[in-house]
Amino acid sequence: MAEETTLLRTSSVSKRFRGVVALSDASIRLEQGEILGIIGPNGAGKTTLFNVIAGAMRPSSGSVIFRGRDITRMAADRRLRLGLARTFQLMKPFVSLTVYDNIVVGATGSGLSKRRARARADEIVDLLDMGRIASRSAGAINAVQAKRLELARALSAQPVVVLLDEIFSGLRPDEVDDLAAHVRALPSRGQTVMMIEHNLPAIRSVSERVLALSAGAVIREGSPADVFDDPEVVSSYLGKRSRPAH
Ligand SMILES: Nc1ncnc2c1ncn2[C@@H]1O[C@H](COP(=O)(O)OP(=O)(O)OP(=O)(O)O)[C@@H](O)[C@H]1O
C-alpha cells in the first residue's frame, strides 16, 4: 500500500455502546485527492465512523492516523486546526447571525484572526456562489441554502480533509447537480473528501471509490458500480427494508 499517499486511515477501529457494536474492526484509508463515498443502511456505523475520525468520540479500540500522526486521543478542535473538518447531518447555524458571519465564525474557529477570517469568508462565498444569500439571516434560508452554508462553514477552516455528512440528502436532482459540481472541484483545491451519503446517484456522480459498511464492518470497497451491485451490499439494505436506489 502506498502509505505516502494515504492522508487518513483508521486501523482496526471498533466502537461499542454497551451491548451495541457500532463499528467492528474497521480499517479504512483515504487517499490524497480522492472523494471517497461511504454507504450503508441505517445503523451501519457511518456516523460513528465520522465521530471517531473527527474526534467527537474515542474508539473502544483501534487507532486513527492523520498525515502519519496518531490522532486517536486528540480533541476535535485540535484536529480541526490540523486540517480535518466536517459537516453535520443536523445543521445548527447561528440563526441570529447572517450567512456570511456564520462562515466568518467557522473560519475563526479554525484559528484565524478576524481579518483573515473575513478574507476567507469572502473567498468561500465566491467559491460556492453564495453572494445572493450572504447577507441574509441564517434563520431565514431554505434547506438547500442551509446545506450550502454547512459546506461553506466546513471549508472555511481550509481543511486538508473534509468529511461530508449527507449533504445531498433531501435535495432534488437539479439541486444535487449544482452542489455536486462544487464537491467535485474540491480535490483541485487540495481538499480530499470523505462523504457519508444515502443519495446513491449523488455518490455515483462525485466519487470514484465507494466503501460499504454493514453492522459496523466494511463489507465491500470499489467503484460505485461494483459496490452498488454487490449482492451482499444489496442484501444489507434489504435487511433494513430499504433498497439502495440508483
Ligand atoms: N451514542 C450512542 N449510544 C448508543 N448507541 C449508539 C450511539 N450512537 C450510535 N449508536 C448505535 O450504533 C449503531 C450505529 O449507529 P450510526 O449512527 O453510526 O449508524 P449510521 O450508519 O450513521 O446510521 P444512519 O444512516 O441512520 O445515520 C446503531 O445501532 C446505533 O443505534
Side-chain angles (χ1 to χ4, degrees):
M1 196 182 300
E3 181 66 27
E4 64 277 7
T5 65
T6 302
L7 256 189
L8 174 74
R9 67 186 168 86
T10 66
S11 176
S12 297
V13 162
S14 296
K15 177 70 183 176
R16 288 176 290 277
F17 298 102
R18 294 201 174 89
V20 179
V21 178
L23 278 178
S24 173
D25 206 22
S27 294
I28 286 168
R29 69 195 155 75
L30 180 69
E31 303 292 344
Q32 172 98 46
E34 75 171 336
I35 300 177
L36 173 67
I38 310 279
I39 67 164
N42 298 125
K46 305 180 298 296
T47 306
T48 304
L49 175 69
F50 266 25
N51 284 337
V52 165
I53 291 175
M57 276 174 192
R58 298 265 164 84
S60 308
S61 59
S63 53
V64 182
I65 311 292
F66 179 48
R67 299 168 108 179
R69 180 169 176 182
D70 188 329
I71 60 164
T72 316
R73 309 192 72 74
M74 185 183 282
D77 60 338
R78 279 194 63 207
R79 296 184 202 207
L80 179 63
R81 284 163 198 249
L82 278 185
L84 190 50
R86 77 181 292 184
T87 67
F88 288 90
Q89 203 177 332
L90 283 178
M91 298 160 289
K92 290 182 188 156
F94 296 106
V95 293
S96 58
L97 299 182
T98 63
V99 166
Y100 179 81
D101 285 339
N102 266 274
I103 304 172
V104 173
V105 168
T108 48
S110 72
L112 291 184
S113 67
K114 260 278 165 61
R115 190 179 59 78
R116 292 189 60 206
R118 283 202 197 94
R120 176 75 54 77
D122 289 335
E123 266 172 46
I124 302 285
V125 165
D126 275 354
L127 181 75
L128 297 181
D129 296 329
M130 295 175 74
R132 277 188 312 117
I133 61 165
S135 59
R136 274 196 217 158
S137 158
I141 57 175
N142 65 30
V144 183
Q145 292 163 341
K147 295 263 182 191
R148 200 170 284 231
L149 172 56
E150 186 62 5
L151 177 61
R153 199 193 48 73
L155 295 182
S156 70
Q158 215 162 48
V160 175
V161 167
V162 58
L163 307 173
L164 304 181
D165 195 346
E166 294 198 33
I167 60 159
F168 295 107
S169 72
L171 302 189
R172 294 193 315 258
D174 59 317
E175 294 164 344
V176 167
D177 288 348
D178 201 29
L179 197 57
H182 290 297
V183 173
R184 272 196 299 268
L186 295 178
S188 66
R189 291 172 35 88
Q191 286 162 328
T192 298
V193 180
M194 190 187 287
M195 56 191 281
I196 294 176
E197 199 51 66
H198 281 296
N199 186 329
L200 300 191
I203 290 235
R204 197 189 276 280
S205 97
V206 299
S207 23
E208 284 169 8
R209 193 162 74 89
V210 176
L211 187 145
L213 281 179
S214 178
V218 178
I219 57 167
R220 188 81 160 89
E221 200 176 330
S223 70
D226 288 348
V227 173
F228 295 172
D229 290 336
D230 182 82
E232 198 182 348
V233 173
V234 172
S235 77
S236 76
Y237 274 87
L238 290 175
K240 297 284 175 185
R241 299 177 190 281
S242 63
R243 212 177 216 297
H246 64 283

PDB file of all heavy atoms in Angstrom, residues 1 28 71 92 97 105 113 139 145 183 188 195 205 220-221 231 246:
ATOM      1  N   MET A   1       0.840  -1.203   0.000  1.00  0.00           N
ATOM      2  CA  MET A   1       0.000   0.000   0.000  1.00  0.00           C
ATOM      3  C   MET A   1       0.881   1.262   0.000  1.00  0.00           C
ATOM      4  O   MET A   1       1.863   1.344   0.723  1.00  0.00           O
ATOM      5  CB  MET A   1      -0.866  -0.014   1.259  1.00  0.00           C
ATOM      6  CG  MET A   1      -2.021   0.935   1.192  1.00  0.00           C
ATOM      7  SD  MET A   1      -2.960   0.896   2.739  1.00  0.00           S
ATOM      8  CE  MET A   1      -3.446  -0.818   2.768  1.00  0.00           C
ATOM      9  N   ILE A  28      -9.981   1.671   7.294  1.00  0.00           N
ATOM     10  CA  ILE A  28     -10.385   2.466   6.138  1.00  0.00           C
ATOM     11  C   ILE A  28      -9.253   3.421   5.799  1.00  0.00           C
ATOM     12  O   ILE A  28      -8.606   3.963   6.694  1.00  0.00           O
ATOM     13  CB  ILE A  28     -11.657   3.264   6.519  1.00  0.00           C
ATOM     14  CG1 ILE A  28     -12.846   2.312   6.548  1.00  0.00           C
ATOM     15  CG2 ILE A  28     -11.913   4.439   5.595  1.00  0.00           C
ATOM     16  CD1 ILE A  28     -14.073   2.883   7.172  1.00  0.00           C
ATOM     17  N   ILE A  71      -3.905  10.344  15.880  1.00  0.00           N
ATOM     18  CA  ILE A  71      -4.751  11.391  16.478  1.00  0.00           C
ATOM     19  C   ILE A  71      -5.904  10.790  17.285  1.00  0.00           C
ATOM     20  O   ILE A  71      -6.846  11.497  17.630  1.00  0.00           O
ATOM     21  CB  ILE A  71      -5.317  12.337  15.390  1.00  0.00           C
ATOM     22  CG1 ILE A  71      -6.184  11.570  14.372  1.00  0.00           C
ATOM     23  CG2 ILE A  71      -4.213  13.111  14.698  1.00  0.00           C
ATOM     24  CD1 ILE A  71      -7.067  12.458  13.518  1.00  0.00           C
ATOM     25  N   LYS A  92     -26.759  23.248  12.488  1.00  0.00           N
ATOM     26  CA  LYS A  92     -27.196  24.203  13.518  1.00  0.00           C
ATOM     27  C   LYS A  92     -26.481  25.530  13.315  1.00  0.00           C
ATOM     28  O   LYS A  92     -25.584  25.876  14.095  1.00  0.00           O
ATOM     29  CB  LYS A  92     -26.874  23.650  14.905  1.00  0.00           C
ATOM     30  CG  LYS A  92     -27.743  22.467  15.289  1.00  0.00           C
ATOM     31  CD  LYS A  92     -27.413  22.007  16.697  1.00  0.00           C
ATOM     32  CE  LYS A  92     -28.130  20.721  17.033  1.00  0.00           C
ATOM     33  NZ  LYS A  92     -27.482  19.949  18.069  1.00  0.00           N
ATOM     34  N   LEU A  97     -27.246  35.259  13.321  1.00  0.00           N
ATOM     35  CA  LEU A  97     -26.193  35.874  12.502  1.00  0.00           C
ATOM     36  C   LEU A  97     -26.542  35.737  11.023  1.00  0.00           C
ATOM     37  O   LEU A  97     -27.356  34.897  10.637  1.00  0.00           O
ATOM     38  CB  LEU A  97     -24.844  35.176  12.743  1.00  0.00           C
ATOM     39  CG  LEU A  97     -24.261  35.192  14.151  1.00  0.00           C
ATOM     40  CD1 LEU A  97     -22.908  34.480  14.155  1.00  0.00           C
ATOM     41  CD2 LEU A  97     -24.104  36.622  14.642  1.00  0.00           C
ATOM     42  N   VAL A 105     -17.414  32.931  11.512  1.00  0.00           N
ATOM     43  CA  VAL A 105     -17.275  32.223  12.793  1.00  0.00           C
ATOM     44  C   VAL A 105     -16.562  30.884  12.564  1.00  0.00           C
ATOM     45  O   VAL A 105     -15.664  30.496  13.323  1.00  0.00           O
ATOM     46  CB  VAL A 105     -18.654  31.996  13.467  1.00  0.00           C
ATOM     47  CG1 VAL A 105     -18.545  31.027  14.635  1.00  0.00           C
ATOM     48  CG2 VAL A 105     -19.247  33.317  13.935  1.00  0.00           C
ATOM     49  N   SER A 113      -7.346  35.008  12.559  1.00  0.00           N
ATOM     50  CA  SER A 113      -7.734  36.298  13.120  1.00  0.00           C
ATOM     51  C   SER A 113      -9.025  36.738  12.445  1.00  0.00           C
ATOM     52  O   SER A 113      -9.361  36.234  11.366  1.00  0.00           O
ATOM     53  CB  SER A 113      -6.640  37.332  12.841  1.00  0.00           C
ATOM     54  OG  SER A 113      -6.587  37.558  11.436  1.00  0.00           O
ATOM     55  N   GLY A 139     -31.223  32.289   9.864  1.00  0.00           N
ATOM     56  CA  GLY A 139     -32.506  31.720  10.279  1.00  0.00           C
ATOM     57  C   GLY A 139     -33.556  31.809   9.185  1.00  0.00           C
ATOM     58  O   GLY A 139     -34.634  31.238   9.325  1.00  0.00           O
ATOM     59  N   GLN A 145     -30.156  25.996   0.843  1.00  0.00           N
ATOM     60  CA  GLN A 145     -29.149  27.016   1.165  1.00  0.00           C
ATOM     61  C   GLN A 145     -28.433  26.669   2.463  1.00  0.00           C
ATOM     62  O   GLN A 145     -27.231  26.927   2.608  1.00  0.00           O
ATOM     63  CB  GLN A 145     -29.846  28.383   1.270  1.00  0.00           C
ATOM     64  CG  GLN A 145     -30.357  28.855  -0.081  1.00  0.00           C
ATOM     65  CD  GLN A 145     -31.401  29.963   0.029  1.00  0.00           C
ATOM     66  OE1 GLN A 145     -32.012  30.173   1.074  1.00  0.00           O
ATOM     67  NE2 GLN A 145     -31.620  30.663  -1.069  1.00  0.00           N
ATOM     68  N   VAL A 183     -18.557  20.003  -5.003  1.00  0.00           N
ATOM     69  CA  VAL A 183     -17.819  18.944  -4.295  1.00  0.00           C
ATOM     70  C   VAL A 183     -16.740  18.361  -5.218  1.00  0.00           C
ATOM     71  O   VAL A 183     -15.594  18.162  -4.798  1.00  0.00           O
ATOM     72  CB  VAL A 183     -18.782  17.848  -3.785  1.00  0.00           C
ATOM     73  CG1 VAL A 183     -18.009  16.668  -3.198  1.00  0.00           C
ATOM     74  CG2 VAL A 183     -19.743  18.421  -2.743  1.00  0.00           C
ATOM     75  N   SER A 188      -9.240  19.654  -6.661  1.00  0.00           N
ATOM     76  CA  SER A 188      -8.348  20.545  -7.416  1.00  0.00           C
ATOM     77  C   SER A 188      -7.902  21.725  -6.545  1.00  0.00           C
ATOM     78  O   SER A 188      -6.960  22.438  -6.889  1.00  0.00           O
ATOM     79  CB  SER A 188      -9.034  21.042  -8.693  1.00  0.00           C
ATOM     80  OG  SER A 188     -10.115  21.861  -8.332  1.00  0.00           O
ATOM     81  N   MET A 195     -17.259  11.196   2.189  1.00  0.00           N
ATOM     82  CA  MET A 195     -18.653  11.575   2.356  1.00  0.00           C
ATOM     83  C   MET A 195     -19.550  10.404   2.690  1.00  0.00           C
ATOM     84  O   MET A 195     -19.472   9.343   2.081  1.00  0.00           O
ATOM     85  CB  MET A 195     -19.173  12.286   1.095  1.00  0.00           C
ATOM     86  CG  MET A 195     -19.020  11.516  -0.175  1.00  0.00           C
ATOM     87  SD  MET A 195     -19.352  12.536  -1.622  1.00  0.00           S
ATOM     88  CE  MET A 195     -21.125  12.534  -1.592  1.00  0.00           C
ATOM     89  N   SER A 205     -22.155  10.313  -8.938  1.00  0.00           N
ATOM     90  CA  SER A 205     -21.713  11.453  -9.756  1.00  0.00           C
ATOM     91  C   SER A 205     -20.447  12.125  -9.224  1.00  0.00           C
ATOM     92  O   SER A 205     -19.790  12.838  -9.957  1.00  0.00           O
ATOM     93  CB  SER A 205     -22.859  12.456  -9.933  1.00  0.00           C
ATOM     94  OG  SER A 205     -22.776  13.505  -9.019  1.00  0.00           O
ATOM     95  N   ARG A 220     -17.539  -4.099   1.532  1.00  0.00           N
ATOM     96  CA  ARG A 220     -17.160  -4.022   0.120  1.00  0.00           C
ATOM     97  C   ARG A 220     -16.527  -2.663  -0.143  1.00  0.00           C
ATOM     98  O   ARG A 220     -16.916  -1.661   0.446  1.00  0.00           O
ATOM     99  CB  ARG A 220     -18.411  -4.202  -0.752  1.00  0.00           C
ATOM    100  CG  ARG A 220     -18.128  -4.343  -2.232  1.00  0.00           C
ATOM    101  CD  ARG A 220     -17.717  -5.772  -2.566  1.00  0.00           C
ATOM    102  NE  ARG A 220     -17.898  -6.075  -3.974  1.00  0.00           N
ATOM    103  CZ  ARG A 220     -16.976  -5.872  -4.909  1.00  0.00           C
ATOM    104  NH1 ARG A 220     -15.798  -5.362  -4.596  1.00  0.00           N
ATOM    105  NH2 ARG A 220     -17.224  -6.196  -6.173  1.00  0.00           N
ATOM    106  N   GLU A 221     -15.586  -2.631  -1.082  1.00  0.00           N
ATOM    107  CA  GLU A 221     -14.893  -1.404  -1.425  1.00  0.00           C
ATOM    108  C   GLU A 221     -14.626  -1.471  -2.914  1.00  0.00           C
ATOM    109  O   GLU A 221     -14.282  -2.549  -3.417  1.00  0.00           O
ATOM    110  CB  GLU A 221     -13.572  -1.431  -0.648  1.00  0.00           C
ATOM    111  CG  GLU A 221     -12.906  -0.141  -0.466  1.00  0.00           C
ATOM    112  CD  GLU A 221     -11.651  -0.299   0.406  1.00  0.00           C
ATOM    113  OE1 GLU A 221     -11.608  -1.194   1.279  1.00  0.00           O
ATOM    114  OE2 GLU A 221     -10.724   0.460   0.158  1.00  0.00           O
ATOM    115  N   PRO A 231     -24.065  -8.280  -4.291  1.00  0.00           N
ATOM    116  CA  PRO A 231     -25.208  -8.919  -3.627  1.00  0.00           C
ATOM    117  C   PRO A 231     -25.230  -8.714  -2.117  1.00  0.00           C
ATOM    118  O   PRO A 231     -26.294  -8.518  -1.524  1.00  0.00           O
ATOM    119  CB  PRO A 231     -25.031 -10.409  -3.969  1.00  0.00           C
ATOM    120  CG  PRO A 231     -24.133 -10.438  -5.158  1.00  0.00           C
ATOM    121  CD  PRO A 231     -23.283  -9.216  -5.103  1.00  0.00           C
ATOM    122  N   HIS A 246     -30.699   3.444  -7.151  1.00  0.00           N
ATOM    123  CA  HIS A 246     -29.775   4.074  -8.096  1.00  0.00           C
ATOM    124  C   HIS A 246     -30.148   3.741  -9.524  1.00  0.00           C
ATOM    125  O   HIS A 246     -31.045   2.948  -9.743  1.00  0.00           O
ATOM    126  CB  HIS A 246     -28.333   3.687  -7.818  1.00  0.00           C
ATOM    127  CG  HIS A 246     -28.035   2.221  -7.986  1.00  0.00           C
ATOM    128  ND1 HIS A 246     -28.407   1.301  -7.018  1.00  0.00           N
ATOM    129  CD2 HIS A 246     -27.442   1.523  -8.967  1.00  0.00           C
ATOM    130  CE1 HIS A 246     -28.013   0.089  -7.411  1.00  0.00           C
ATOM    131  NE2 HIS A 246     -27.438   0.197  -8.588  1.00  0.00           N
TER     132      HIS A 246
END
